[in-house]
């Protein structure tokens, strides 16, 4: 399966929608490699930056669902280079 590395920038302009954003991010948690939030309370804005790894369909699904929420803007950017996922085996200690 071909995957891509990328980022999603999320801008929230109404804090009451944050629980719904977090619920969506939880649903897509397997795509998220890193997350950083920056509340700008004095401006009534909240930014969330995600580093993601997934198929273009998965990334588009998350970005689209976020963008359909009221008071939320979401934009994604993905690398042109694809990544071929390899099997990962857990080591027991």
């Amino acid at each position: 399966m071909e995957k891509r590395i990328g980022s999603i920038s999320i801008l929230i302009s109404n804090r009451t929608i944050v629980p719904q954003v977090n619920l969506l991010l939880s649903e897509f948690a397997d795509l998220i490699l890193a997350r950083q939030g920056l509340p700008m309370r004095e401006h009534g804005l909240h930014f969330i930056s995600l580093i993601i790894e997934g198929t273009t369909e998965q990334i588009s699904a998350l970005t689209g669902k976020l963008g359909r929420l009221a008071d939320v803007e979401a934009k994604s950017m993905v690398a042109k280079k694809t990544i071929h996922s390899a099997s990962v085996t857990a080591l027991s200690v």
Side-chain angles (χ1 to χ4, degrees):
M1 176 184 306
E2 290 187 345
K3 292 185 176 183
R4 295 182 187 264
I5 298 283
S7 65
I8 298 177
S9 296
I10 305 165
L11 174 61
I12 302 168
S13 57
N14 183 346
R15 186 178 176 168
T16 61
I17 199 74
V18 170
Q20 289 178 276
V21 171
N22 284 330
L23 183 62
L24 268 177
L25 295 181
S26 294
E27 288 177 27
F28 287 85
D30 55 326
L31 303 183
I32 300 171
L33 301 175
R35 173 181 171 164
Q36 178 181 7
L38 175 65
M40 299 185 71
R41 291 179 188 93
E42 66 276 8
H43 300 292
L45 299 172
H46 303 270
F47 289 95
I48 300 173
S49 299
L50 305 174
I51 304 300
I52 50 167
E53 179 181 344
T55 66
T56 54
E57 292 81 13
Q58 292 171 318
I59 295 167
S60 294
L62 173 55
T63 305
K65 287 181 179 189
L66 287 165
R68 283 190 290 277
L69 293 174
D71 302 314
V72 176
E73 297 176 55
K75 301 290 182 189
S76 63
M77 178 180 67
V78 294
K80 291 179 183 179
K81 182 178 179 179
T82 58
I83 299 168
H84 300 284
S85 62
S87 299
V88 178
T89 56
L91 299 176
S92 58
V93 179

